[in-house]
Amino acid sequence: MDLQEYQLLTRKTAIYSQDTFLEYLTLGLASEAGEVSGVVKKYIRKDYDLDIAKDKLIKELGDVMWYWARLCDELGLNPEEVMEINIDKLLNRQVKNTLQGDGDDR
Ligand SMILES: [Mg+2]
């Protein structure tokens, strides 16, 4: 499955008001990122081993991706363009030796 196909399929399970899509999807993305952190926290706490953590992370990272894809779709953003802009930004920082540090404009 490619990214655009995935993005189109997320429409089938998108249940939220168009009036508040930005708030809903942004909060959902943050919430799912928190669930990723929760899995890692429980792994560190030794609630389960790495294999079980990976099984859980597959699901939670997929949830993160769903909200990310929905945000891209609702905002009319091409997800592949978002990825390209991101990797270009990071590679540019690498060239300038500014990968580490703070701030968006490095
Ligand atoms: Mg989840």
Side-chain angles (χ1 to χ4, degrees), residues 28 31-33 35-36 56 59-64 67:
S31 175
E32 294 299 342
E35 291 184 30
V36 170
K56 293 179 181 295
K59 294 173 184 166
E60 298 306 343
L61 290 169
D63 290 342
V64 167
Y67 281 100

Side-chain angles (χ1 to χ4, degrees), residues 4 6 11 16 20-21 32 37 48 94:
Q4 292 208 329
Y6 176 80
R11 291 179 182 175
Y16 46 80
T20 55
F21 81 87
E32 294 299 342
S37 300
Y48 34 70
Q94 186 179 41

Side-chain angles (χ1 to χ4, degrees), residues 56-74:
K56 293 179 181 295
L57 286 170
I58 286 171
K59 294 173 184 166
E60 298 306 343
L61 290 169
D63 290 342
V64 167
M65 190 169 176
W66 187 92
Y67 281 100
W68 176 82
R70 291 303 319 133
L71 267 173
C72 288
D73 195 27
E74 293 288 0

Side-chain angles (χ1 to χ4, degrees), residues 18-42:
Q18 282 300 303
D19 293 341
T20 55
F21 81 87
L22 188 58
E23 297 90 332
Y24 180 85
L25 294 174
T26 303
L27 291 170
L29 180 62
S31 175
E32 294 299 342
E35 291 184 30
V36 170
S37 300
V39 170
V40 174
K41 178 197 74 179
K42 290 176 181 172

